[in-house]
Amino acid sequence: MSEGFFIGSFEVRYYGIILMIGAVAGALLSANEAKRRGHNPEIVWDLMIYLLIGGIIGARLWHILTPPPSSGITAAWYFTHPLDAINIRKGGLGIPGAVIGGAIVAFFYTRRHHLDFGEWADIAAPGLALGQAIGRFGNYVNQELYGAPTNLPWKIYIDPQHRLQGFANYEYYHPL
């Protein structure tokens, strides 16, 4: 399965496209909720730019500080290879860090604009869940997030280069 396509020499990855679709879908849902509550939905679109930046920084920091054991890389390795620490095109984004980074950004944004942080977090929560659900399809495309080996009808095939060490002889896994 291809991970993306090229425009000239620039690679566009499906994972990034899927994440942006999730972000836009989440923002649409949040904007509708803001409007339903009598708030200006443009606030969501204003905030989204900052949330994406904060979320990406938080997601990368989470990965750097807590890399998965299957990657063979430790946090100490990133501290001695700072260029790899900032190279998100090599992978490594953690959703807990994205949520934390986004929450920090939202807190300061709402404070600066004299908005109720709790209410806006409540407005954003369903959009965050929708964006996260859509984003998981990016993990499917990358074949980087899957469960135990299985032969059940809902199994998914994982290419040999994406299988964890010790599981090279298994072709099908539970989707996550």
Side-chain angles (χ1 to χ4, degrees):
M1 181 179 292
S2 172
E3 292 182 6
F5 57 91
F6 285 89
I7 298 176
S9 63
F10 182 76
E11 184 180 13
V12 178
R13 296 193 180 175
Y14 295 127
Y15 183 78
I17 292 170
I18 293 167
L19 288 182
M20 287 311 301
I21 290 170
V24 170
L28 281 168
L29 183 60
S30 296
N32 285 336
E33 179 61 14
K35 186 176 180 180
R36 188 186 73 77
R37 291 182 183 215
H39 296 292
N40 181 357
E42 288 301 314
I43 292 171
V44 172
W45 299 105
D46 241 9
L47 182 54
M48 183 177 151
I49 295 164
Y50 300 110
L51 289 174
L52 287 172
I53 294 167
I56 291 169
I57 291 169
R60 187 60 179 169
L61 286 173
W62 185 272
H63 174 79
I64 289 168
L65 297 174
T66 63
S70 62
S71 71
I73 297 173
T74 64
W77 188 85
Y78 281 115
F79 293 126
T80 59
H81 298 82
L83 292 179
D84 283 339
I86 61 173
N87 187 359
I88 63 171
R89 293 199 50 91
K90 283 190 174 181
L93 299 172
I95 190 64
V99 173
I100 292 167
I104 291 168
V105 165
F107 174 78
F108 286 109
Y109 182 94
T110 55
R111 184 173 171 171
R112 181 169 189 234
H113 292 88
H114 308 290
L115 302 169
D116 181 350
F117 171 74
E119 183 175 17
W120 281 93
D122 196 42
I123 289 168
L128 174 63
L130 176 61
Q132 170 66 12
I134 292 169
R136 292 312 89 210
F137 287 99
N139 294 121
Y140 170 74
V141 169
N142 281 355
Q143 296 189 355
E144 62 191 6
L145 188 60
Y146 51 88
T150 187
N151 283 318
L152 294 171
W154 52 82
K155 65 191 176 200
I156 58 172
Y157 177 79
I158 300 297
D159 292 329
Q161 67 268 27
H162 295 290
R163 297 177 195 160
L164 292 175
Q165 188 175 16
F167 293 91
N169 295 331
Y170 298 95
E171 293 183 335
Y172 296 98
Y173 298 82
H174 280 286
L176 287 181

